[in-house]
Amino acid sequence: MSSRAALPLAGIHPRELGRVVASLRPRPASLVELPPDLHPALREALQRGGMGRLYSHQRESYERLRSGENVVVSTATASGKSLCYKLFAFQTALEDPRSRALFLYPTKALAQDQLGKIRAFGLRGVRPATYDGDTPQSLRADVRRRANVVLTNPDMLSVGILPNHDAWGPFLRGLGVVAVDEAHVLRGVFGSHVAAVLRRLRRVARLHGGDPRFVLTSATIANPQELAETLTGLPFSPVDRDGAPSGERRVIFRNPPLLDRERGERRSLLTEGALVFAALVARGVRTIAFARTRRAAELIYRYAADRLGPEGARRISPYRAGYTPGERREIEGRLFRGELLGVVSTNALELGVDVGSLDAAVCCGYPGSVASVWQQWGRAGRGENPSLAVYIPGRDALDQFLYENPQRILGRRVEAARLTLENPYILAPHLLAAAHEAPLEPGDEEFFGPGYGRVAGELEDAGALLRSGGRLVYAGGDSPARRISLRSASSETVVIADGEGELVGTAEAARAPSELHPGAVYLHRGAAYEVERLDLAAHRALVRRVPDRFYTRPRVETDVEILEELEVRPLPGGAALHRGRVRATDAVTHYKKVRVADDRDVGVFPLDLPEVSLETQAFWITLPPPPPEARPSFEVFGGALHAAEHALIGLLPLFAMCDRADIGGLSTPVHRQTGRPTIFVYDGYPGGVGISHRGFEAFFSLARDALGAIVRCPCEKGCPACVQSPKCGNWNEPLNKEGAVRLLRFVLGQVDRHPALP
């Protein structure tokens, strides 16, 4: 145990900070000798850097790659995963001057951080360089010609490298390894796009004679091998026996106290985070606190600085994405020298950027996945040093559910990263980009999967692809890759600009009526703007800067039409669980203006906007018709269906690794097609990305967890911690908490009585 880490933690009584839910025992390192075939220069560089032996998973990865396998490494944060691919890439570069390696990172900051670490090896035969949007045009040709290890991101690969593959010919011909770092973030729409980009890379590399091996690194999730194989279309070998050491870790859960039991209101998460952060820093504990947004991080920092006073405030700092490498190095240096004791960061820096040696990590609000919780906690107590790990939940259902069920974080992973290459809205633009790179051939199904033939045929019918000599050629004169947004399922966007024509931001066209309607308050980088005009035909929204005093909530009327039922499973009591394709149609009819300071309604205003339709995937539950004697009111039975819908949607991200905003829903006492009480839960993206499919697969676990969250919530009639939704298009009206309990117990087979009966 390190004396440096032990001393500041020695005076901390964990129960002062909250409920101690676990004391995780230290684990010694599993160290093995360096591979005997390592190049002498690489062996010397490792020994010079204090790596005379490897963790067992690092050597296993190296040996599997040397034998020709593709590898996915799924081990804990700070376990040295990046060395798993660097070792193989450096060895290959030193053995063969023609060999090339491509390292993909989700952010430019992470690529820059890794560039410095690669240079620190001091290997003469390894010539690393970053290639991204910040690379000057004057240097790009030099990078293509000289670098044998290129660090980039999926966006630049799609837009800057693949469309110009002829200029990258020698690099692609020698491409021996492609590393994809932090692969667990490649899920949903973003992951589906990146899967298509990686398939395009494989295809273009083969055109130039390259056949790279792939190595992916991931946090611990339920399906790392499946994720790797879906991303690339190749078989993978998993490496998941972690050889890195870990120190003792005390895990503390702290819930902000209830202020209003009936409404379920609690003290602010930000206030609570600042209290814990300031208390630790005041005791000399080197601490990092994570918040979900830049604004939240700034507020925690400000509140903590006020509590610590001028002297203490000088020893803490914000630390977020957007800082230059020099600024980050300065903060890290101040941490190492003891000048800084605490940093407050956004979730962006939970990724593998090195923030130095810390003693405590405070997770302020559920960051979107259990894997992310562990990544944040893993920033503290690196190596064998002891650490504190704190979780402070927000008000919503999933945050509070995890507070009540620590084992869902501490136990076996159930969340699976899902993506799909069969969504035509995602695959089609990449097939156009691939055809621009080289004409498509029938054999390209090997790269693009079973949806290739159907989607390529539709593009040919639409005139976007032309048939020539048995091949499909891109019909346009531009670069279609430039029109692809890797973070959107739709290529149509709305430009948001102020009165002087200054660009403020962009949004998906499908979401514009609900997010950018006239009168809507739009937040961008901490500033508030009011929408003055929305021109859907011109794909433009005009906004003006306003004080941040109000927010708006749209009223949305939703209709769901079943297009195709793909699967059905019986549920107890005559209920049934279905899965298939649906069309969801939204009409934004009103909006509510709410004061930020006290959540009081200012007024309700009508809107006249066109409907927006979305064809996507869904699962739905049908109940038997209510008995004749039931005759429930809409408020009672409709409220029960509505509350159960919210509870299911609120906890589905725990299984599907998505955001609650990625999911839509509808509940109705009688659906026009099923003729029965029905609850729909659907993917909020055109074509779907597998979220609802995961909900269908895990339905019984999902329903049990939703029931538990409602039953254990202390509120009387429903609150954000159980059945209210922050995104509800019906403004959470009506909701029946007790009715939702009866309904979920009925579909789980715990009771026989129909939930419409009192």
Side-chain angles (χ1 to χ4, degrees):
M1 181 180 292
S2 161
S3 59
R4 185 208 64 75
L7 285 174
L9 291 183
I12 294 291
H13 297 287
R15 286 184 176 81
E16 297 174 12
L17 301 175
R19 175 167 62 114
V20 179
V21 298
S23 293
L24 305 181
R25 298 171 64 181
R27 183 187 66 228
S30 174
L31 293 168
V32 295
E33 298 301 321
L34 295 175
D37 62 346
L38 274 191
H39 191 282
L42 180 53
R43 180 181 296 273
E44 182 184 336
L46 288 168
Q47 291 171 338
R48 191 169 58 245
M51 292 174 279
R53 291 194 292 171
L54 299 177
Y55 298 140
S56 55
H57 63 273
Q58 294 171 332
R59 177 157 174 177
E60 181 185 354
S61 301
Y62 173 82
E63 290 175 345
R64 287 185 179 277
L65 287 164
R66 291 286 278 182
S67 66
E69 299 174 43
N70 301 302
V71 170
V72 55
V73 185
S74 180
T75 55
T77 303
S79 59
K81 288 191 287 287
S82 66
L83 194 60
C84 294
Y85 56 81
K86 289 175 187 171
L87 208 58
F88 175 74
F90 297 167
Q91 174 75 7
T92 309
L94 293 169
E95 287 178 337
D96 182 0
R98 296 166 299 178
S99 174
R100 299 292 184 266
L102 185 69
F103 295 171
L104 288 174
Y105 298 95
T107 65
K108 289 188 287 188
L110 191 50
Q112 288 289 345
D113 190 78
Q114 288 294 328
L115 177 65
K117 292 181 178 180
I118 293 171
R119 285 174 172 163
F121 275 83
L123 293 166
R124 287 190 176 181
V126 175
R127 302 179 300 279
T130 55
Y131 192 87
D132 55 36
D134 295 338
T135 306
Q137 289 288 343
S138 58
L139 296 181
R140 294 187 178 189
D142 190 58
V143 171
R144 290 193 296 266
R145 186 173 59 254
R146 291 191 66 257
N148 59 0
V149 177
V150 170
L151 293 74
T152 187
N153 54 69
D155 303 84
M156 193 63 178
L157 176 60
S158 178
V159 174
I161 296 177
L162 295 178
N164 305 302
H165 62 89
D166 285 338
W168 287 83
F171 185 93
L172 292 166
R173 187 160 47 252
L175 188 58
V177 61
V178 176
V180 183
D181 204 52
E182 307 286 355
H184 59 279
V185 306
L186 303 178
R187 56 187 188 259
V189 169
F190 181 46
S192 300
H193 275 296
V194 173
V197 173
L198 293 175
R199 310 303 182 91
R200 286 165 52 201
L201 171 62
R202 286 180 52 213
R203 178 174 179 265
V204 163
R206 183 177 294 181
L207 287 173
H208 289 275
D211 185 21
R213 260 152 279 182
F214 282 77
V215 53
L216 278 63
T217 67
S218 169
T220 307
I221 57 174
N223 63 333
Q225 184 177 359
E226 177 194 10
L227 174 64
E229 292 177 349
T230 308
L231 279 167
T232 63
L234 296 168
F236 270 76
S237 298
V239 173
D240 52 14
R241 289 190 297 273
D242 194 340
S246 62
E248 180 186 8
R249 177 175 282 131
R250 291 283 185 92
V251 181
I252 298 165
F253 279 30
R254 177 187 178 110
N255 210 2
L258 272 171
L259 301 178
D260 185 328
R261 185 182 183 87
E262 183 177 337
R263 297 174 60 189
E265 285 190 2
R266 295 183 177 273
R267 191 160 65 193
S268 162
L269 163 68
L270 306 184
T271 300
E272 211 68 19
L275 285 171
V276 172
F277 178 70
L280 289 167
V281 169
R283 302 279 189 89
V285 178
R286 300 186 192 203
T287 305
I288 184 167
F290 286 97
R292 286 186 277 214
T293 65
R294 288 186 180 188
R295 182 174 182 176
E298 293 288 349
L299 287 173
I300 291 173
Y301 165 71
R302 194 185 309 164
Y303 296 162
D306 289 344
R307 292 189 66 83
L308 290 166
E311 186 62 33
R314 282 194 284 271
R315 306 199 70 186
I316 63 174
S317 170
Y319 186 94
R320 55 174 173 75
Y323 283 10
T324 66
E327 289 170 327
R328 290 203 311 276
R329 293 293 94 78
E330 181 190 353
I331 292 171
E332 290 162 17
R334 292 181 66 198
L335 273 169
F336 283 122
R337 293 190 299 271
E339 297 169 17
L340 274 184
L341 280 175
V343 289
V344 186
S345 170
T346 52
N347 292 345
L349 291 179
E350 77 192 23
L351 302 179
V353 177
D354 190 357
V355 293
S357 186
L358 300 165
D359 306 315
V362 183
C363 176
C364 300
Y366 181 62
S369 71
V370 172
S372 291
V373 173
W374 279 101
Q375 285 215 296
Q376 292 183 2
W377 286 349
R379 294 294 118 201
R382 292 191 160 198
E384 297 179 351
N385 293 335
S387 65
L388 288 176
V390 184
Y391 171 65
I392 304 174
R395 291 178 62 198
D396 69 20
L398 188 46
D399 281 51
Q400 289 294 318
F401 173 81
L402 291 170
Y403 175 80
E404 295 290 344
N405 296 271
Q407 279 306 117
R408 299 307 294 270
I409 292 179
L410 301 172
R412 185 178 64 85
R413 303 292 195 272
V414 298
E415 57 185 8
R418 288 303 170 103
L419 55 94
T420 179
L421 252 194
E422 297 187 27
N423 182 331
Y425 296 93
I426 291 174
L427 182 57
H430 286 282
L431 290 186
L432 294 179
H436 176 256
E437 289 150 11
L440 294 172
E441 301 184 3
D444 285 335
E445 182 173 332
E446 172 194 350
F447 300 108
F448 297 110
Y452 166 74
R454 174 175 54 85
V455 177
E458 291 171 356
L459 291 170
E460 183 183 4
D461 292 342
L465 294 176
L466 300 176
R467 188 165 293 277
S468 174
R471 303 193 301 173
L472 292 172
V473 180
Y474 178 57
D478 60 343
S479 173
R482 293 199 169 276
R483 297 197 301 271
I484 301 173
S485 168
L486 298 190
R487 289 155 185 83
S488 169
S490 170
S491 59
E492 292 192 359
T493 59
V494 170
V495 173
I496 305 163
D498 62 20
E500 297 178 357
E502 191 76 24
L503 177 67
V504 175
T506 61
E508 288 185 45
R511 300 192 181 203
S514 60
E515 296 179 359
L516 296 171
H517 57 77
V521 174
Y522 172 76
L523 293 176
H524 181 71
R525 301 190 74 161
Y529 298 83
E530 183 177 293
V531 179
E532 295 186 310
R533 188 170 70 251
L534 173 63
D535 187 338
L536 288 170
H539 289 76
R540 189 175 183 85
L542 180 67
V543 300
R544 65 183 179 93
R545 183 79 177 266
V546 293
D548 187 8
R549 293 202 296 263
F550 304 98
Y551 66 90
T552 49
R553 297 184 64 186
R555 179 90 180 190
V556 184
E557 300 294 337
T558 300
D559 175 72
V560 175
E561 177 188 358
I562 299 168
L563 301 177
E564 181 183 12
E565 183 179 88
L566 298 173
E567 197 172 349
V568 60
R569 294 177 183 172
L571 295 175
L577 178 67
H578 312 252
R579 179 178 74 84
R581 294 191 308 112
V582 301
R583 179 184 292 115
T585 302
D586 287 345
V588 182
T589 60
H590 296 78
Y591 74 94
K592 181 189 292 185
K593 196 170 185 178
V594 186
R595 200 157 51 201
V596 170
D598 54 11
D599 278 344
R600 288 189 179 276
D601 295 351
V602 175
V604 176
F605 306 91
L607 291 168
D608 183 15
L609 293 168
E611 294 180 340
V612 175
S613 290
L614 169 76
E615 290 191 14
T616 187
Q617 302 171 5
F619 77 80
W620 60 96
I621 307 152
T622 54
L623 302 177
E629 68 271 22
R631 297 184 181 178
S633 68
F634 177 73
E635 284 71 21
V636 172
F637 188 48
L641 291 161
H642 194 193
E645 171 209 327
H646 282 184
L648 292 168
I649 289 173
L651 293 191
L652 181 51
L654 185 60
F655 295 84
M657 290 187 79
C658 64
D659 189 89
R660 184 173 186 152
D662 298 337
I663 312 167
L666 173 73
S667 50
T668 174
V670 182
H671 186 260
R672 68 179 189 281
Q673 288 173 285
T674 67
R676 293 179 163 216
T678 307
I679 297 173
F680 290 93
V681 176
Y682 57 86
D683 292 23
Y685 294 101
V689 290
I691 296 169
S692 59
H693 193 173
R694 174 63 175 158
F696 179 85
E697 291 175 341
F699 176 75
F700 283 102
S701 295
L702 172 62
R704 279 193 296 269
D705 287 349
L707 174 61
I710 301 173
V711 169
R712 281 191 291 270
C713 185
C715 75
E716 294 184 14
K717 296 183 179 179
C719 71
C722 57
V723 298
Q724 288 183 2
S725 167
K727 297 288 186 181
C728 179
N730 289 305
W731 299 338
N732 288 304
E733 298 168 352
L735 291 175
N736 179 353
K737 180 180 177 179
E738 289 184 7
V741 170
R742 292 197 300 270
L743 190 153
L744 290 169
R745 283 179 171 159
F746 180 78
V747 299
L748 287 168
Q750 297 178 4
V751 296
D752 297 327
R753 188 176 179 83
H754 195 286
L757 292 168

